[in-house]
Amino acid sequence: MTQTLDQIFVIAKAWLLGYLPVAARPLASAVLCVIAIVITFPLLFAITTWLERKGLGRIQNRLGPNRTGPFGLFQPIADAIKSLTKEDIVPLTADHAVHFLAPLLLVAAAFLAYAVLPVGRNMVLVNLNAGVLFFFAVGSVVELSVFMAGWSSRSKYSLLGAMRAIAQMISYEVPLVLATVAVIMQAGSLSTVDIVNQQATYTHTLPHWFVFTPWGFVGFVLFMIAATAESNRSPFDLPEGESEIIAGYYIEYSGFKFALFFLGEYLGMFATSGMAITLFLGGWAAPFSFLTWIPSYVWFFLKLLALIGFFIWIRGTLPRLRMDQLMNLAWEFVLPMALLNMLVAGVWHFMPHGLLRWLVCTAIVAIPCILLAAGLKRKKKFQVRTYQFAE
Amino acid sequence: MTAAFLILATLTVAGTAAAMGLRNAVHCVLALTVGFAGVAALYLQLDAQFVGFTQVMVYVGAVAILAVFAIMMTHSPTPVPLPAYSRHWLAGSIVAAAVFAVLAWAIRAGSTSAPCLPPQPGISVQQIGDALMHRYVLPLEIMGLLLTAALIGAVVIAMDRKEESK
Amino acid sequence: MSSLQSYLLLSALLFSIGLAGALTRRNAILVLIGIELMLNAANLNFIAFWRYGPTPSKLTGIMFAIFSISVAAAEAAVGLGIILAAYRHSKTTDLDQMNSLKG
Amino acid sequence: MFGDGILKGLAETARNFFGSYRSKNRLTTIQYPEERLPQIEAARSFPFLVYDGADWQQGMRCVACQICEKECPPKCILIKKSADKKPDATGKLQAYPAVFDIDISVCMSCQICVEVCPFDAIKMDVDYDLPTADRFAGLLLDKQKLSKSNQYYHQIHPTEAAAVDAALAAERAAAAAKAKAAADAAAAKAAAPAPAPQVQPAGGEPR
C-alpha cells in the first residue's frame, strides 16, 4: 500500500499515457511533467508569500495579513489580482523589445532549473547524466535577464541595481559551484538522482545524508549563504534594497511584468533550496528508517518548507550587508572555505572509517574557518571616513 | 537534415548575423547570446551534453556578461553617431564571403559517401572525467595554469593604476 | 547532403559571419565577439566530427572542444582587459582611431 | 566565535515568533475599524462652531468678526456677515455669520483660529473619520455641518470646555453686574435730578 501511495503520481501518469497512441507518449509524458511543475511551484510561491508576510509579522510582534479570508489566506490571490490588474507602464525611452523579454527570460530560466530536481522516488522530469551542471548552466542565464531588465529601463537606478545584482550573483556563483563540487566528488556522479539514491540508505535508523559529515555540513552552510545571495534575498538584497536604490533592476516594471519578476525570484529561491536539499539533505529520503512509509515527495516538500521558513527567519533577523562587506564575505571567507571544503571531502574519501577521520576532517575545516573569521573581524576597524571628492 | 536541425541552424545563424549586424552594441551582445544558445542546442543534438551545458555556462553565463560589462565601461558619454562599420567594410565582407565559398566548396567536394549515423555513443560524464584525469591530465594542468594566468593578467591590465592617472 | 556535411556547412557559415564581423566592425568589443564566434564555429566542427567519427568512445573531439571553450573564456577575459586599458588610454573603442603608436 | 552575533539575533527573533503565539499581549496590532486607540484629550482634527442652548442658529456664539478668517494661514475659512443682528448669550444684539465655510481639505488643523477667537466660538473637533466620495463639495463644510452643541464640546474636551464655560460665565456675570450697575446709575441719575434743585452743592454724582 505504501509503495503505491509513494508512486501514486508515476502510476497516474502511466495510466493517463495509456490512452494515447504510442508515438505521442514521450512527448505527452514530458508535457504532463511540465504541467505538474508549472502548477505546483507557483502554488508554492503563493503559499510562501503568505507564509513570509505572516512569519515576518509574528517576528516583529505584529499580526501580518488577516483581512482577506481566515488568517489572511486569500492574501496571495489578492496580491495576484492587484498586480495583474495594475497598469503596465513602460518608460518612454525604454528599449521595448529587451524590456519585454527580460522577465520572460528570468521566469523561463527559473522553471528550467526544475527539470533536474528529483521531487520524489523516480519523480524527476529528466534524469540528466550531468544534472547538476545543467542546473548551474541555467542558473547563470538569470544574470543575463537581470542585466537586460536593468539596462533596458534606461534609468540610472535600474542600471546601478542591475550592475550590483550581477556583481553579487557572479561573485556568489563561484562558491555555490565549489560547494557542490565537494558533494559530486563524494557521490561520484553529476546526476541528481544518483546523489539522492546514495543518501537514501540507512545504518540502523540513521540516514546517510551528506549534511551529517564535516565537509557536508560546511558545504551546506556555504551553499545556503551563496543561495541567499544568488536569489538576492535578505541579508544580500542590496541590489533591490528599497532604502538604497528603490527597487533595483525591476524599478521600471509594473503590473504583470513586476509580478513575473517576483515569481522568477521566488522560483529561483525554491530551485536553489531544492538543489540544497538534493545535495545535502538527502532529497526525498526520510530522516529515519522507520519513517519511510510516508511517501517520498512529502519529505521533499517538508524539507523545502523548512528551508523556506529558514529563509524567512533569516530575512526577519539579519540587517542588509553593504556592497563592500558583501564582496569581502564572498571573496575572503566563502570562497576559501569552499576550496578548503573540497580538500576535506578528498581527505574524507580516502581515510578509513572511524573517529580519526571525523577528528582530522573537522580540524582541517574548523581551524582555517576561525582564522578567516578573525581576518574578517580584524578588518572591521572604524577609521574616519575620507571623502575622495568632497573635501 | 532533420527539422530540429533546421530550426536550430536558422536560430543560430539569425542570432550570429544579428550579433554582427546590429548597430547598438548591447543589442549585438544579446543577439550573440541567442547564437551561443543555438550552438549549445546543436551540441545537445549531437549528444554532447557535457559540452552543451559547459557552453551555456561559460559563454551565455560569463562571456556575454563580460562583454556587456565592457560595453558599459567603455560607453563614451557622448555617443558620437559613427557608422557601425569601419571604412573598409567592403573588403572585409568580400574576404569573408570568399572564405565561406572556399569552405563550402571543400565540404561539398569532400567525401560524398554519407557516413551513416553511428549508434548513440551514450557518453557519461564519468567517462569524460576519466579521460580528463587519465589521458588528458597534462592539458588539464596546463589549462588550470593558463586560466590562473589569464585571471591575474586581466585584472592587472584592467586595473586602474592610481599613480598613472594622477 | 548527409547531416555531417550540413553541420560542417553550418559551422563554415558561422565562421564566415564571425570573420566578417571581426573585419568590418568598428567597435573593438564587437571585433572580440567576432573572434568568439569563430572559436565557437571551430568547436562545432570538433563535436560534429566526434559524433560522426569512427570511434565516439575515444572522446578526442569532446576534449578538444572543452579545452577550446576554456581557452576562449580566458582569451575573452584578457581581450576585454586590453580593450578597457586601451579605452582608458585613448578614450575611444573605435579601432579606426587607435592608429597612433605614440604614447 | 564567528557568527555568534547572528545566532543571538536568530534566537531573539525566534523568541519573538513563538512568544507571539503564547502570550497575546506581545502583539501590538490594533484592528483599526473595529478596535480604536483611546483618544487623548488634546487630540484635534478640524475646527467646529460651538452653540449654546438647543437651537444652533440662535445659540451660535460666532459674531462674524472675521478675525479667524484673516488669521487662518492657508485661508480655508470664508465668512459673510449677516445684515440683521440677533441677541447673543448676554442679550446684546450681535451680528452672526450668514455664510461660514471651512474647506477641511485645505485646513491644516493648526488651531490658530481657536486661539485668536475672542468669543470662544470656534473649537477643535476630534472626529477624523470624514471619508467622502466627492473631494470638493464633500470636504467644504458649511455653517450647519460645522456647528455642534456645547454639550458635545464638553464630551470631547471636558477640562477645556469647563474652563471656557467658567470664563464665559464670569464674563457674563461681570457684564450683567456692569449692566446692573449702569442701570442703577441711570436709575439713580433719573431719580437724582428731581431733588437736584434743592441740594445744589451735593458734591457730584454718587459713583
Side-chain angles (χ1 to χ4, degrees), chain A residues 286-302:
Chain A
F288 298 103
S289 57
F290 50 83
L291 288 175
T292 48
W293 54 275
I294 300 174
S296 54
Y297 44 83
V298 169
W299 288 116
F300 181 83
F301 281 102
L302 273 181

mmCIF file of all heavy atoms in Angstrom, chain A residues 286-302:
data_model
loop_
_atom_site.group_PDB
_atom_site.id
_atom_site.type_symbol
_atom_site.label_atom_id
_atom_site.label_comp_id
_atom_site.label_asym_id
_atom_site.label_seq_id
_atom_site.Cartn_x
_atom_site.Cartn_y
_atom_site.Cartn_z
ATOM 1 N N ALA A 286 13.641 9.824 3.703
ATOM 2 C CA ALA A 286 13.045 10.087 5.019
ATOM 3 C C ALA A 286 14.157 10.230 6.057
ATOM 4 O O ALA A 286 15.228 9.651 5.898
ATOM 5 C CB ALA A 286 12.144 8.918 5.412
ATOM 6 N N PRO A 287 13.947 11.083 7.070
ATOM 7 C CA PRO A 287 15.029 11.293 8.039
ATOM 8 C C PRO A 287 15.365 10.041 8.842
ATOM 9 O O PRO A 287 16.501 9.873 9.267
ATOM 10 C CB PRO A 287 14.513 12.404 8.933
ATOM 11 C CG PRO A 287 13.065 12.491 8.684
ATOM 12 C CD PRO A 287 12.813 11.946 7.326
ATOM 13 N N PHE A 288 14.386 9.150 9.103
ATOM 14 C CA PHE A 288 14.723 7.949 9.873
ATOM 15 C C PHE A 288 14.147 6.737 9.151
ATOM 16 O O PHE A 288 13.151 6.850 8.441
ATOM 17 C CB PHE A 288 14.145 8.039 11.287
ATOM 18 C CG PHE A 288 14.719 9.196 12.058
ATOM 19 C CD1 PHE A 288 13.977 10.341 12.241
ATOM 20 C CD2 PHE A 288 16.026 9.138 12.530
ATOM 21 C CE1 PHE A 288 14.514 11.422 12.903
ATOM 22 C CE2 PHE A 288 16.565 10.216 13.200
ATOM 23 C CZ PHE A 288 15.819 11.355 13.378
ATOM 24 N N SER A 289 14.766 5.596 9.369
ATOM 25 C CA SER A 289 14.365 4.420 8.565
ATOM 26 C C SER A 289 12.941 4.011 8.889
ATOM 27 O O SER A 289 12.207 3.530 8.035
ATOM 28 C CB SER A 289 15.314 3.255 8.872
ATOM 29 O OG SER A 289 15.266 3.012 10.271
ATOM 30 N N PHE A 290 12.467 4.274 10.144
ATOM 31 C CA PHE A 290 11.107 3.800 10.439
ATOM 32 C C PHE A 290 10.059 4.761 9.872
ATOM 33 O O PHE A 290 8.871 4.551 10.025
ATOM 34 C CB PHE A 290 10.903 3.644 11.957
ATOM 35 C CG PHE A 290 11.314 4.868 12.734
ATOM 36 C CD1 PHE A 290 10.455 5.946 12.874
ATOM 37 C CD2 PHE A 290 12.587 4.948 13.308
ATOM 38 C CE1 PHE A 290 10.840 7.075 13.566
ATOM 39 C CE2 PHE A 290 12.972 6.074 14.020
ATOM 40 C CZ PHE A 290 12.110 7.144 14.144
ATOM 41 N N LEU A 291 10.534 5.852 9.206
ATOM 42 C CA LEU A 291 9.557 6.799 8.648
ATOM 43 C C LEU A 291 9.412 6.627 7.142
ATOM 44 O O LEU A 291 8.802 7.454 6.480
ATOM 45 C CB LEU A 291 10.012 8.237 8.953
ATOM 46 C CG LEU A 291 9.892 8.672 10.414
ATOM 47 C CD1 LEU A 291 10.473 10.060 10.588
ATOM 48 C CD2 LEU A 291 8.426 8.656 10.831
ATOM 49 N N THR A 292 9.985 5.596 6.602
ATOM 50 C CA THR A 292 9.958 5.504 5.135
ATOM 51 C C THR A 292 8.574 5.170 4.621
ATOM 52 O O THR A 292 8.324 5.228 3.426
ATOM 53 C CB THR A 292 10.916 4.388 4.676
ATOM 54 O OG1 THR A 292 10.633 3.251 5.485
ATOM 55 C CG2 THR A 292 12.355 4.825 4.830
ATOM 56 N N TRP A 293 7.600 4.856 5.485
ATOM 57 C CA TRP A 293 6.258 4.566 4.932
ATOM 58 C C TRP A 293 5.589 5.841 4.452
ATOM 59 O O TRP A 293 4.668 5.822 3.655
ATOM 60 C CB TRP A 293 5.392 3.874 5.995
ATOM 61 C CG TRP A 293 5.308 4.618 7.283
ATOM 62 C CD1 TRP A 293 6.195 4.547 8.318
ATOM 63 C CD2 TRP A 293 4.324 5.587 7.652
ATOM 64 N NE1 TRP A 293 5.826 5.402 9.314
ATOM 65 C CE2 TRP A 293 4.672 6.054 8.944
ATOM 66 C CE3 TRP A 293 3.181 6.101 7.040
ATOM 67 C CZ2 TRP A 293 3.943 7.008 9.611
ATOM 68 C CZ3 TRP A 293 2.455 7.064 7.715
ATOM 69 C CH2 TRP A 293 2.820 7.504 8.990
ATOM 70 N N ILE A 294 6.089 7.027 4.912
ATOM 71 C CA ILE A 294 5.482 8.271 4.381
ATOM 72 C C ILE A 294 6.016 8.468 2.957
ATOM 73 O O ILE A 294 7.212 8.259 2.718
ATOM 74 C CB ILE A 294 5.880 9.465 5.271
ATOM 75 C CG1 ILE A 294 5.385 9.226 6.705
ATOM 76 C CG2 ILE A 294 5.357 10.760 4.720
ATOM 77 C CD1 ILE A 294 5.858 10.285 7.682
ATOM 78 N N PRO A 295 5.132 8.860 1.990
ATOM 79 C CA PRO A 295 5.586 8.984 0.594
ATOM 80 C C PRO A 295 6.804 9.911 0.457
ATOM 81 O O PRO A 295 6.964 10.853 1.233
ATOM 82 C CB PRO A 295 4.384 9.548 -0.142
ATOM 83 C CG PRO A 295 3.224 9.385 0.751
ATOM 84 C CD PRO A 295 3.708 9.187 2.130
ATOM 85 N N SER A 296 7.607 9.658 -0.574
ATOM 86 C CA SER A 296 8.902 10.349 -0.680
ATOM 87 C C SER A 296 8.704 11.832 -0.990
ATOM 88 O O SER A 296 9.382 12.692 -0.438
ATOM 89 C CB SER A 296 9.713 9.701 -1.797
ATOM 90 O OG SER A 296 8.922 9.713 -2.978
ATOM 91 N N TYR A 297 7.693 12.144 -1.848
ATOM 92 C CA TYR A 297 7.566 13.565 -2.225
ATOM 93 C C TYR A 297 7.156 14.412 -1.009
ATOM 94 O O TYR A 297 7.492 15.586 -0.913
ATOM 95 C CB TYR A 297 6.543 13.737 -3.355
ATOM 96 C CG TYR A 297 5.280 12.941 -3.174
ATOM 97 C CD1 TYR A 297 4.240 13.413 -2.385
ATOM 98 C CD2 TYR A 297 5.145 11.686 -3.753
ATOM 99 C CE1 TYR A 297 3.102 12.685 -2.182
ATOM 100 C CE2 TYR A 297 4.002 10.942 -3.569
ATOM 101 C CZ TYR A 297 2.978 11.443 -2.777
ATOM 102 O OH TYR A 297 1.854 10.696 -2.578
ATOM 103 N N VAL A 298 6.468 13.777 -0.041
ATOM 104 C CA VAL A 298 6.097 14.561 1.162
ATOM 105 C C VAL A 298 7.367 15.052 1.848
ATOM 106 O O VAL A 298 7.468 16.219 2.253
ATOM 107 C CB VAL A 298 5.265 13.661 2.109
ATOM 108 C CG1 VAL A 298 5.113 14.343 3.457
ATOM 109 C CG2 VAL A 298 3.925 13.358 1.476
ATOM 110 N N TRP A 299 8.392 14.151 1.920
ATOM 111 C CA TRP A 299 9.635 14.576 2.602
ATOM 112 C C TRP A 299 10.290 15.726 1.852
ATOM 113 O O TRP A 299 10.755 16.689 2.467
ATOM 114 C CB TRP A 299 10.588 13.395 2.714
ATOM 115 C CG TRP A 299 10.120 12.403 3.703
ATOM 116 C CD1 TRP A 299 9.750 11.121 3.475
ATOM 117 C CD2 TRP A 299 9.907 12.641 5.104
ATOM 118 N NE1 TRP A 299 9.324 10.533 4.629
ATOM 119 C CE2 TRP A 299 9.409 11.439 5.646
ATOM 120 C CE3 TRP A 299 10.082 13.739 5.935
ATOM 121 C CZ2 TRP A 299 9.090 11.323 6.993
ATOM 122 C CZ3 TRP A 299 9.761 13.612 7.280
ATOM 123 C CH2 TRP A 299 9.274 12.407 7.781
ATOM 124 N N PHE A 300 10.292 15.641 0.512
ATOM 125 C CA PHE A 300 10.956 16.715 -0.247
ATOM 126 C C PHE A 300 10.285 18.051 0.052
ATOM 127 O O PHE A 300 10.939 19.040 0.396
ATOM 128 C CB PHE A 300 10.883 16.411 -1.749
ATOM 129 C CG PHE A 300 11.567 17.444 -2.602
ATOM 130 C CD1 PHE A 300 12.942 17.391 -2.817
ATOM 131 C CD2 PHE A 300 10.861 18.508 -3.155
ATOM 132 C CE1 PHE A 300 13.586 18.355 -3.573
ATOM 133 C CE2 PHE A 300 11.490 19.471 -3.908
ATOM 134 C CZ PHE A 300 12.848 19.396 -4.128
ATOM 135 N N PHE A 301 8.944 18.070 0.016
ATOM 136 C CA PHE A 301 8.272 19.371 0.194
ATOM 137 C C PHE A 301 8.326 19.808 1.659
ATOM 138 O O PHE A 301 8.390 21.010 1.956
ATOM 139 C CB PHE A 301 6.831 19.299 -0.325
ATOM 140 C CG PHE A 301 6.773 19.418 -1.819
ATOM 141 C CD1 PHE A 301 6.597 18.301 -2.614
ATOM 142 C CD2 PHE A 301 6.963 20.648 -2.439
ATOM 143 C CE1 PHE A 301 6.578 18.411 -3.995
ATOM 144 C CE2 PHE A 301 6.947 20.765 -3.823
ATOM 145 C CZ PHE A 301 6.763 19.631 -4.595
ATOM 146 N N LEU A 302 8.376 18.836 2.602
ATOM 147 C CA LEU A 302 8.536 19.250 4.013
ATOM 148 C C LEU A 302 9.892 19.935 4.192
ATOM 149 O O LEU A 302 9.989 21.027 4.778
ATOM 150 C CB LEU A 302 8.446 18.016 4.918
ATOM 151 C CG LEU A 302 7.019 17.624 5.347
ATOM 152 C CD1 LEU A 302 7.058 16.409 6.268
ATOM 153 C CD2 LEU A 302 6.353 18.796 6.044
#
